[in-house]
Every structure is written in C-alpha cells, then in structure tokens.
Amino acid sequence: MLSKSIESALNKQIRIEAESSQAYLAMAVWAEVKGLEGISGFMYDQSDEEREHMLKLVKFVNERGGHAHVSELKAPSVSFTSFKGMFETLLEHEIFVSESINELVHISLQEKDYATHNFLQWYVAEQIEEEATARTILDKIKMIGDDKGGLYLFDRDIMQLTVNSAADITAK
Ligand code: OFO
C-alpha cells in the first residue's frame, strides 16, 4: 500500500511524463512542418515513449492501492528559433526529469518504501540513456551549425536512430 506522500509524489511524476509526451509531440509537429521528417519521426517516437513512462506509473500507483491522477497539463512550447534551440530544450527537460526521479527515489528511501524504490530503478536507468541521447544529438547539431546540407544529412541519419529505437521496442 502506498503512503499518501508517495502517492502524491508519484502522481506528480505522472503529470511530468504526460507533459514530456506533449512537449515532444509539439517538437515532432514543428519539425514535420519544417520538412525534416527524420527529426520529426524521432520526436514522435520520443513522445510515444514518454506516454509509456506515464502509463507504467499509472499502473503501478493503481496496483499498489493508490489512485492515479489524470490531470490538466502545462501547455508545451510549440515553436522554436532553431533545431539547436529545440534540442537544447529537450536536454534541459530531460535533466529536469532526472532530478524529479532522483527526488522520488530519495522520498521512497526516506519512507522505507522498497517496492517503489525498486520500481523507480527502471526510470533511473532510462534517464541516463535519454540524457546521453539528447547530449549526442545536441553535439552533432552544434557541429552542423547553420549548414543546410549538414542538417539534411543529420535528418537522414536520425531516421536510422528512429529505426533502431523502434526495433528496441519491438524486441522488448
Ligand atoms: Fe524522458 O522522461 Fe520519461 O522518464
């Protein structure tokens, strides 16, 4: 059974994951209207993943005797000054999510809720991966700068990343 404070902390995380999904959906749409299909496809996948992260939490809260909240969400940014700016926002957001997960881990230990602590380890590992991916992308985008040809090639390459991550999901 979840304590009230753990339940509300998990519900806060449910909202964060839902907001992440919306934020990445807005990025996917922005990239799509700019004609960059690879980047857009990558962001659509990221958005789906965040929804899965949210659903995993929803199920956990309900299974442990709590009540998952489906709440109002903060409106995401819908346009960006550049792709570099967009990926900077993505990295900043992932760092914020990692901090939030760390805080949850801290609370679960304080409350000696080892089941929640164990459940959260998946998110800890996932955040390491997501921050690393965002940093890799940002490094590449920084190298490209304003070069249109570079962006075109990057858009083609990131499609490969999308294919790989889609294959990971199927393998799971
Ligand atoms: Fe990338 O945020 Fe979920 O965990």
Side-chain angles (χ1 to χ4, degrees):
M1 187 79 183
L2 293 174
S3 72
K4 279 292 152 206
S5 55
I6 298 264
E7 182 179 353
S8 100
L10 288 169
N11 270 318
K12 189 172 152 233
Q13 192 63 34
I14 287 174
R15 181 178 178 155
I16 290 175
E17 301 293 343
E19 285 175 347
S20 305
S21 179
Q22 287 295 92
Y24 298 165
L25 180 62
M27 289 179 185
V29 170
W30 185 74
E32 192 161 50
V33 298
K34 296 268 168 211
L36 291 174
E37 272 175 43
I39 294 178
S40 165
F42 176 79
M43 291 315 306
Y44 277 120
D45 282 355
Q46 294 303 306
S47 174
D48 284 349
E49 278 189 25
E50 296 304 343
R51 182 175 155 78
E52 278 178 30
H53 298 170
M54 178 201 65
L55 284 175
K56 231 177 159 71
L57 279 155
V58 164
K59 296 282 181 196
F60 181 76
V61 168
N62 289 347
E63 268 166 28
R64 303 259 301 136
H67 186 164
H69 282 184
V70 177
S71 64
E72 190 187 3
L73 304 179
K74 195 171 79 189
S77 302
V78 293
S79 73
F80 306 88
T81 45
S82 61
F83 281 98
K84 181 169 155 268
M86 189 188 95
F87 283 115
E88 272 166 356
T89 307
L90 183 137
L91 176 59
E92 275 164 26
H93 186 76
E94 286 301 332
I95 292 170
F96 159 75
V97 174
S98 298
E99 281 165 4
S100 173
I101 296 285
N102 284 347
E103 185 55 28
L104 260 176
V105 171
H106 176 70
I107 298 170
S108 67
L109 275 184
Q110 258 180 345
E111 297 222 1
K112 298 195 171 76
D113 181 344
Y114 299 114
T116 299
H117 182 265
N118 184 50
F119 168 77
L120 290 171
Q121 296 315 301
W122 183 87
Y123 287 84
V124 172
E126 183 72 12
Q127 281 313 117
I128 294 172
E129 205 184 293
E130 295 206 334
E131 274 191 41
T133 306
R135 282 199 178 87
T136 306
I137 292 175
L138 198 53
D139 285 347
K140 288 192 182 189
I141 288 270
K142 279 182 183 159
M143 261 184 323
I144 294 165
D146 291 330
D147 179 45
K148 287 239 162 53
L151 193 58
Y152 171 83
L153 290 177
F154 175 74
D155 188 58
R156 203 190 56 184
D157 285 355
I158 203 173
M159 266 184 191
Q160 203 47 48
L161 222 92
T162 314
V163 171
N164 290 342
S165 66
D168 282 354
I169 292 166
T170 335
K172 267 176 211 162

